[in-house]
Amino acid sequence: GYTLTATDGSLTSAVSSPFAVTAGTPSSLAFSQQPPATGTAGSPLSSFKVAVLDAGGNTVSAGTGSTDTIGLTIATGPSGATFGGGSVTSVAAVAGVASFGAVTLNTVGSYTFTATDATRSLTTATSSPATALSAAAASKLAFGQGPTELAAGSTFAPAITVQVQDQFGNAAAAGGVSVTLSSSAGPLDGRSSAVTDGSGLASFGSARIDTAAAGLTLTASATGLSAATSGSFDVVVPVTNGIPLTDAAADSGSGVKSVSYYYCTGYSGACTNGTLIGTATSAADNYLLTWTGQPANGQYRLVAVAVDNVTNASAPSASIPIRIAN
């Protein structure tokens, strides 16, 4: 929509007929509307646009290039981040402009995007400034520092932590949430509840388990949030050479005559054909036996078998996981 006017001093000027100047050959892409500065995990970002430009920076609104397909990729962002399900990241331009209104991301972090013309080779465009993505609403719990093997009666080290997360696994800044730990078998001793800090993290610095057991798990729960279950761990009795073993055997019938102690390799499984450690015949010290000449350092389980005065043997006691470390 141009006209030209010609003038010469006092002469009457002349005006040309209208004429049009159209865009030139497509040359590059540009974000004509930048992505939003902020967003929320799992929710579509506010719409943004990419234009097809000629060498002079004009939008190619008609003809070649005006309907090219424009693709969107993540230029910078958290490691491994991808677009969320249902995202539309390939859009046909209309009058030289591609509009992106259905783009989601699930991982919290800072993002920039690259636009590429899938129809022809044009100079790509990268968005600026970055889009900062925040967590969605608190949805579940997850163990940050899970439980590891510990000695019976000791606190977990390192201390157990539980994080409030959104549905995508992002840490949610949910302070003041009361989180409770429970054990898959037997009581959890010490402090078994904690309140999250401002970052949504609950720390259990004094939690402990007093009874030896193998293959336990912990469950973290909080009102209104999905619970989390830890990986398995063992609560063991640390044993060194010369450790005293005792069994408070009792028999309401013919009385206990002796207690034999056996060990098997590993923490789990029945220990019915174990290696004999020794036999105690006196109840004065609850059938006390001192274990000497132990096997190599490692993981074992220990059982006791009582024999009464008419040679009836009891079933093996529940196995106790022990860790030998001399």
Side-chain angles (χ1 to χ4, degrees):
Y2 284 92
T3 59
L4 297 179
T5 299
T7 59
D8 183 10
S10 61
L11 298 180
T12 302
S13 60
V15 178
S16 73
S17 299
F19 62 96
V21 177
T22 58
T25 302
S27 174
S28 63
L29 300 178
F31 282 86
S32 56
Q33 181 177 342
Q34 293 288 341
T38 60
T40 302
S43 296
L45 299 177
S46 300
S47 61
F48 52 96
K49 299 178 180 180
V50 176
V52 180
L53 306 180
D54 66 9
N58 303 296
T59 300
V60 180
S61 58
T64 301
S66 63
T67 59
D68 283 3
T69 297
I70 309 302
L72 196 70
T73 58
I74 297 173
T76 61
S79 176
T82 60
F83 289 110
S87 291
V88 179
T89 57
S90 183
V91 175
V94 177
V97 177
S99 298
F100 293 88
V103 174
T104 61
L105 300 159
N106 294 339
T107 304
V108 165
S110 182
Y111 293 83
T112 60
F113 307 100
T114 294
T116 304
D117 192 311
T119 307
R120 68 195 74 250
S121 179
L122 301 181
T123 302
T124 61
T126 299
S127 65
S128 178
T131 298
L133 197 74
S134 58
S139 173
K140 60 183 180 178
L141 299 175
F143 281 90
Q145 173 59 59
T148 56
E149 181 183 291
L150 77 157
S154 300
T155 57
F156 289 93
I160 294 170
T161 60
V162 175
Q163 176 67 52
V164 179
Q165 295 182 340
D166 66 12
Q167 62 176 311
F168 307 106
N170 300 302
V177 176
S178 180
V179 180
T180 300
L181 293 181
S182 59
S183 172
S184 58
L188 182 69
D189 305 291
R191 188 165 68 108
S192 59
S193 62
V195 176
T196 59
D197 61 17
S199 68
L201 187 70
S203 299
F204 298 84
S206 60
R208 72 179 196 277
I209 293 179
D210 292 341
T211 304
L216 298 181
T217 58
L218 296 181
T219 297
S221 57
T223 302
L225 301 176
S226 297
T229 300
S230 74
S232 64
F233 65 99
D234 304 304
V235 182
V236 304
V237 177
V239 174
T240 56
N241 199 32
I243 192 76
L245 308 175
T246 63
D247 185 75
D251 189 330
S252 59
S254 56
V256 174
K257 179 179 180 180
S258 63
V259 175
S260 298
Y261 299 88
Y262 299 85
Y263 73 87
C264 296
T265 301
Y267 287 158
S268 61
C271 185
T272 56
N273 296 299
T275 301
L276 179 65
I277 299 170
T279 300
T281 58
S282 172
D285 295 303
N286 287 330
Y287 296 94
L288 174 66
L289 176 74
T290 300
W291 189 2
T292 58
Q294 292 169 346
N297 291 347
Q299 299 177 345
Y300 300 88
R301 56 195 182 279
L302 179 70
V303 298
V305 178
V307 176
D308 66 15
N309 285 313
V310 289
T311 69
N312 295 312
S314 69
S317 66
S319 62
I320 299 173
I322 59 174
R323 181 181 66 241
I324 295 178
N326 289 313

